[in-house]
Amino acid sequence: MVHFWKWPGQAAGIILSAAMAATPIAAAEQGDGQPAALEQTEIRYQGWAGQVIWIELADDLGFLAPLQAKWVGNTISGPQDIQAVVTRDTDIGGAFNGAIVKLLSKKAPVTAVIGYYGVDDHTWTGYYVTDDSPIKSAQDLIGKKVAVNTLGAHHEFMVREYLERAGLNAQDAKQVSLIVTPPVAAEQSLRSANVDVAQLGGVLRDKALERGGIHPLFTDQDLFGTFTAGSYVLRDDFIAKNPNTTRHLVTALARAIEWARETPPDEVRARYTRIIKERRRAESADAIPYWKSTGVAQPGGLITDDEFQIWINWLVKDGLLQAGQVQPASLYTNEFNPYAGAAGDGARP
């Protein structure tokens, strides 16, 4: 059966004016109008080499203070990043929403609090073949190898969705091999014929296209249009013990997302380049000139049911969940996001 989904970016939903989205949001206040005291003043997180993530931008913009961001190292995987939250190695981590559904279906004590990456007209991932490749359709992928950065995350789900929409049955789909390949090695693996298809996005995609000789078989935007694909999670006990810190943190992240959405891209790229240079982590800022947009569909990273329901449906279809076992509203909250109040939506009961 072929499934077509309607994403929040394609439907009437939460709408805020650009002026409202850009307006600074006040920190949580006590009843006397004074800023609420933060229960915890340090947030541990993992970064990504050569990238500036939202907590780092919020810190640089002054939105995070007096909360302090403590970098504990880098990750290359969303599933690893959120697992580090579960094991208390970090306080906040982000991953593809499908990976979050899988983790929370196992009763992991975390909750998604804000969306942080996604797909739009400027930010998307293509699944590329060489120009001389015989692969022209999903049927041609039977018996072939597709490079993905990790299993159980964004890129695996996109490949599987592409195969299902094309009508491949489960037996045929199993003959499409997913090969875990570091993103920086995906282009070379494709050109050297170690894989037949490689997922490429951002700077890796743009540089590969500059070299020529490849084209997309399909893209994640072809499949789903504009959508938020991943969320940040916090541990439930962290939220319970630190409601003021949680609200302050999520507010800072939401403001950073909207700053990047409303600020000219050249200015965003210049700030990112400076941040990377000043933090001295022995990394390259070469990817920053290729930054184009946030990719986040909803104002301030607000989360919607649809952004989780689609992956719940997938896991039910695969037999990993029972129908009705997991409800989207149990996986996330917009309670701490200041943009939810303007929309009148998403607060935890």
Side-chain angles (χ1 to χ4, degrees), residues 85-249:
V85 178
V86 175
T87 57
R88 300 179 181 275
D89 294 303
T90 59
D91 299 310
I92 187 169
F96 167 61
N97 285 336
I100 293 175
V101 172
K102 291 180 71 174
L103 182 66
L104 292 183
S105 71
K106 304 298 183 183
K107 306 301 182 181
V110 297
T111 296
V113 293
I114 188 169
Y116 79 101
Y117 88 92
V119 172
D120 61 23
D121 290 342
H122 305 290
T123 300
W124 49 271
T125 295
Y127 297 76
Y128 284 83
V129 297
T130 57
D131 287 347
D132 60 358
S133 171
I135 298 173
K136 309 296 182 184
S137 68
Q139 290 287 341
D140 298 329
L141 289 176
I142 297 174
K144 299 299 193 295
K145 299 176 181 178
V146 180
V148 296
N149 69 321
T150 190
L151 297 177
H154 185 115
H155 300 302
E156 176 181 351
F157 275 86
M158 294 301 153
V159 172
R160 295 176 65 190
E161 178 72 8
Y162 175 69
L163 298 176
E164 180 163 314
R165 289 194 188 190
L168 268 69
N169 59 39
Q171 183 175 357
D172 287 342
K174 288 180 180 179
Q175 297 181 57
V176 180
S177 300
L178 300 177
I179 308 300
V180 176
T181 307
V184 295
E187 179 191 357
Q188 182 57 39
S189 294
L190 176 63
R191 294 188 187 276
S192 60
N194 291 326
V195 297
D196 303 288
V197 182
Q199 53 90 11
L200 296 168
V203 60
L204 299 176
R205 176 198 66 216
D206 292 350
K207 283 190 171 183
L209 290 174
E210 288 173 0
R211 287 184 275 271
I214 64 172
H215 64 271
L217 180 64
F218 68 96
T219 73
D220 49 12
Q221 190 184 35
D222 291 340
L223 296 175
F224 294 116
T226 296
F227 66 101
T228 296
S231 303
Y232 284 130
V233 303
L234 296 172
R235 288 188 309 279
D236 293 339
D237 63 349
F238 180 97
I239 295 172
K241 294 176 183 177
N242 306 285
N244 295 338
T245 299
T246 298
R247 187 174 303 279
H248 185 82
L249 172 61

